[in-house]
Amino acid sequence: MKKSALIVIDVQRALFASVPGPADATAVVARINALAFRARATAAPVVFVQHERAGTPLQFGSPGWALAEDLEVASQDHRIRKTTPDSFLRTELEGLLASQGVSQVVLCGYATEFCVDTTTRRAAALGYDVLLAADAHTTHDKPHATAAQIRAHHNATLPDIVSFGSTIRALSTADIQFA
């Protein structure tokens, strides 16, 4: 059985407390908390990735940079800081996963079409099998598509990427198990 890690991307106060907020935000956070609970119960690593950008509400250490208030974080969880949509680029994530013997990642969080998409592709390119928590990632509505349409599109298209040699599957939170 593959060792999995849960990676929670950019579920931060400035993004989730905005008005309007991300689509289905309360339910998405509840599903992320359920995934984290199940991951911890099997000693799977839980990693919270936080985006930062100086001079914005996501400036490192600012109230907006903090994790969303309803997100349940445990003392053994890991934190990674990032400055691009790619949770692996110029971060310690790959080293952390390697040190834990992880070969499969469960991805969730914000924003579907940016950081979740980019991290999914990069994880697969690095050889990790990816389980995209299909109902535990979100974004804001855009002029060209609703957040629900964006999420459905990514859930449908990311699993079609096979050229990396890793598998990408989009599964509901209820169907994701940790070894």
Side-chain angles (χ1 to χ4, degrees):
M1 171 119 349
K2 297 177 183 193
K3 182 167 183 184
S4 298
L6 175 64
I7 301 174
V8 181
I9 303 167
D10 299 351
V11 181
Q12 295 168 257
R13 288 184 189 171
L15 302 169
F16 277 70
S18 63
V19 177
D24 202 25
T26 300
V28 166
V29 171
R31 291 179 195 116
I32 291 169
N33 287 338
L35 285 167
F37 179 82
R38 290 201 309 266
R40 291 183 199 108
T42 65
V46 176
V47 183
F48 291 96
V49 178
Q50 290 168 268
H51 193 86
E52 60 188 62
R53 185 172 178 196
T56 74
L58 292 175
Q59 181 164 317
F60 173 72
S62 72
W65 178 81
L67 294 171
E69 290 185 33
D70 293 338
L71 203 57
E72 296 170 3
V73 182
S75 60
Q76 72 269 26
D77 295 340
H78 304 274
R79 300 230 186 159
I80 298 287
R81 295 167 52 190
K82 73 175 180 63
T83 58
T84 74
D86 181 346
S87 297
F88 289 93
L89 183 62
R90 296 188 298 272
T91 74
E92 301 169 2
L93 182 57
E94 189 174 4
L96 171 65
L97 297 177
S99 73
Q100 300 285 319
V102 170
S103 60
Q104 176 173 269
V105 293
V106 176
L107 299 181
C108 58
Y110 181 91
T112 298
E113 74 280 24
F114 296 117
C115 301
V116 174
D117 176 276
T118 303
T119 300
T120 297
R121 292 168 190 266
R122 182 69 181 275
L126 291 170
Y128 294 98
D129 287 327
V130 177
L131 296 179
L132 179 61
D135 54 358
H137 61 93
T138 188
T139 193
H140 283 84
D141 288 342
K142 303 296 187 287
H144 69 282
T146 67
Q149 291 169 326
I150 293 167
R151 181 162 72 179
H153 171 81
H154 283 74
N155 287 340
T157 59
L158 286 171
D160 288 341
I161 301 172
V162 297
S163 58
F164 291 124
S166 303
T167 61
I168 301 172
R169 294 184 294 152
L171 300 174
S172 71
T173 297
D175 294 332
I176 296 174
Q177 300 299 319
F178 294 87

